[in-house]
Amino acid sequence: YQRRVRVIKKAIELFTDIKENKEDYKKFYESFSRNLKYGIHEDSENRSKLADLVQYHSSTSGDEMVTLKDYVTRMKPDQKGIYYITGESRKAVENSPFIEGLKKKGIEVLFMTEPIDEYAMQQLKEYDSKKFISITKGGVDLGETEEEKKAAEEEKKSFENLCNIIKETLGDKVEKVVTSSRIVSSPACLVTGEYGWSAYMERIMKAQALRDNSTTSYMVSKKTLEINPKHPIVKELKKKADADKSDKTVKDLIWLLFETSLLTSGFTLDEPASFANRIHRMIKLGLSIDDDEDVVDEDLPPLESSATTTDEGSKMEEVD
């Protein structure tokens, strides 16, 4: 055991020395970043030392990577913690609706785009006494002023009816529907519970060949749909819903909003065919095409004459 401790200590010292030369460390990090992150997950004794060695791209760093120490030195005085987002690629997280509110406030967000990051962050709860905050989960404090909180409360009351209608339409697909200030240019996003899996972790676990379905169902977090009350789509949807909540168009738009939010928030669609059908209907509407008369409505059973004709056609084919 003592030998192992000495070897690890020597290795960390060597990595720290390499870090002093930016170009050398860049090559080293490209090859061994996953090993360092795995060490954070596994080695509780050296976790803080290894945390000094990891680097990430961020919402303000451009093509450069930043260390956790760099991030902490740039934090705003009233910032609550170290904000980060996990996802499949840098491009995906850069365009995520979750970072819109933070970018508007000038708050830096770390991009974590490797599966090992999800595991490492389960163990690395804080750095330099600053708590890590996943911005894809519920309960994120954006440091709002009293004036902003008051405005948000008024919006919540104004959109309460729409939130109830959306929840009623989606049923158990979402735990609740609320107004949000974390999104700016997107109409909606889906957040998970603070202690459940993130969208990216959910995708990682679903891809496991030997996954335990009982654990999966336990850890898959209940989703909250957050809507942007300032977005024109949400405003118009509110008008239509207030006028007639049983309007089929309203329900269709709610489902479309939910499914697009699933995708932009990093989840996968359970029923891609239903989503495609809704998109096709929107395309037809845009092209002023009426639904074909011979297409059977999903809510109606097929006509008996149609079934009979089909059977006769099959018999004729057999005779041929």
Side-chain angles (χ1 to χ4, degrees), residues 240-259:
K240 284 184 174 292
D242 288 344
D244 181 7
K245 72 173 188 178
S246 60
D247 186 349
K248 189 178 184 300
T249 305
V250 170
K251 290 184 178 181
D252 249 4
L253 291 171
I254 287 170
W255 277 106
L256 202 53
L257 187 65
F258 169 70
E259 287 167 335

Side-chain angles (χ1 to χ4, degrees), residues 302-315:
L303 296 172
E304 287 182 18
S305 59
S306 300
T308 309
T309 307
T310 306
D311 291 342
E312 286 176 1
S314 302
K315 288 177 183 176

Side-chain angles (χ1 to χ4, degrees), residues 155-199:
E155 286 174 337
K156 182 181 176 182
K157 288 177 185 175
S158 176
F159 282 79
E160 189 174 356
N161 182 49
L162 177 62
C163 290
N164 291 336
I165 291 169
I166 293 173
K167 171 61 180 141
E168 189 181 309
T169 303
L170 299 178
D172 60 2
K173 291 286 184 183
V174 293
E175 186 179 26
K176 57 183 176 179
V177 182
V178 297
T179 54
S180 173
S181 58
R182 82 165 81 200
I183 40 181
V184 177
S185 56
S186 299
C189 68
L190 275 160
V191 302
T192 55
E194 189 178 350
Y195 301 105
W197 286 338
S198 66

Side-chain angles (χ1 to χ4, degrees), residues 81-106:
I82 301 170
Y83 294 100
Y84 72 93
I85 180 172
T86 56
E88 289 189 342
S89 68
R90 183 178 160 195
K91 193 170 183 179
V93 294
E94 271 180 338
N95 299 313
S96 170
F98 295 111
I99 70 170
E100 292 172 0
L102 290 163
K103 279 174 79 175
K104 187 180 178 183
K105 289 179 174 288

Side-chain angles (χ1 to χ4, degrees), residues 4-227:
R4 177 177 174 271
V5 170
R6 285 197 299 270
V7 169
I8 292 173
K9 184 183 176 184
K10 191 70 179 173
I12 292 174
E13 287 174 359
L14 179 63
F15 302 156
T16 307
D17 289 342
I18 297 171
K19 191 167 177 272
E20 290 177 8
N21 185 304
K22 192 174 179 180
E23 286 304 312
D24 288 348
Y25 194 70
K26 185 178 179 182
K27 292 174 186 175
F28 168 81
Y29 196 75
E30 284 172 0
S31 301
F32 299 105
S33 63
R34 291 180 183 86
N35 304 76
L36 293 173
K37 292 169 184 177
Y38 182 72
I40 289 173
H41 180 260
E42 289 291 316
D43 190 351
S44 57
E45 291 178 20
N46 296 291
R47 192 165 287 148
S48 58
K49 292 177 183 175
L50 291 169
D52 286 327
L53 298 170
V54 292
Q55 298 180 337
Y56 304 97
H57 286 104
S58 80
S59 56
T60 61
S61 69
D63 291 330
E64 293 294 315
M65 297 185 87
V66 298
T67 62
L68 295 176
K69 188 176 181 180
D70 293 335
Y71 182 98
V72 170
T73 57
R74 294 202 291 258
M75 281 175 64
K76 291 182 176 293
D78 57 345
Q79 194 171 321
K80 303 294 181 182
I82 301 170
Y83 294 100
Y84 72 93
I85 180 172
T86 56
E88 289 189 342
S89 68
R90 183 178 160 195
K91 193 170 183 179
V93 294
E94 271 180 338
N95 299 313
S96 170
F98 295 111
I99 70 170
E100 292 172 0
L102 290 163
K103 279 174 79 175
K104 187 180 178 183
K105 289 179 174 288
I107 297 173
E108 188 173 13
V109 180
L110 294 176
F111 298 155
M112 301 189 181
T113 55
E114 294 182 321
I116 189 64
D117 287 321
E118 283 281 3
Y119 295 95
M121 295 316 293
Q122 289 174 10
Q123 304 299 328
L124 190 65
K125 303 295 183 185
E126 59 178 44
Y127 177 83
D128 194 19
S129 302
K130 303 291 189 296
K131 186 183 174 184
F132 282 96
I133 302 170
S134 172
I135 64 169
T136 64
K137 296 188 176 184
V140 175
D141 187 349
L142 300 182
E144 294 170 313
T145 62
E146 287 303 315
E147 195 175 312
E148 287 172 330
K149 286 178 182 177
K150 189 178 178 182
E153 197 60 37
E154 288 173 3
E155 286 174 337
K156 182 181 176 182
K157 288 177 185 175
S158 176
F159 282 79
E160 189 174 356
N161 182 49
L162 177 62
C163 290
N164 291 336
I165 291 169
I166 293 173
K167 171 61 180 141
E168 189 181 309
T169 303
L170 299 178
D172 60 2
K173 291 286 184 183
V174 293
E175 186 179 26
K176 57 183 176 179
V177 182
V178 297
T179 54
S180 173
S181 58
R182 82 165 81 200
I183 40 181
V184 177
S185 56
S186 299
C189 68
L190 275 160
V191 302
T192 55
E194 189 178 350
Y195 301 105
W197 286 338
S198 66
Y200 188 37
M201 190 63 179
E202 193 175 307
R203 292 179 78 150
I204 291 168
M205 296 309 293
K206 282 182 177 180
Q208 300 296 316
L210 301 174
R211 72 177 184 273
D212 181 352
N213 286 328
S214 61
T215 307
T216 303
S217 60
Y218 175 73
M219 287 303 294
V220 169
S221 186
K222 292 282 186 182
K223 300 174 184 66
T224 297
L225 180 65
E226 295 191 357
I227 59 173

Side-chain angles (χ1 to χ4, degrees), residues 261-274:
S261 297
L262 270 176
L263 293 174
T264 57
S265 302
F267 295 95
T268 53
L269 293 173
D270 291 332
E271 299 176 39
S274 298

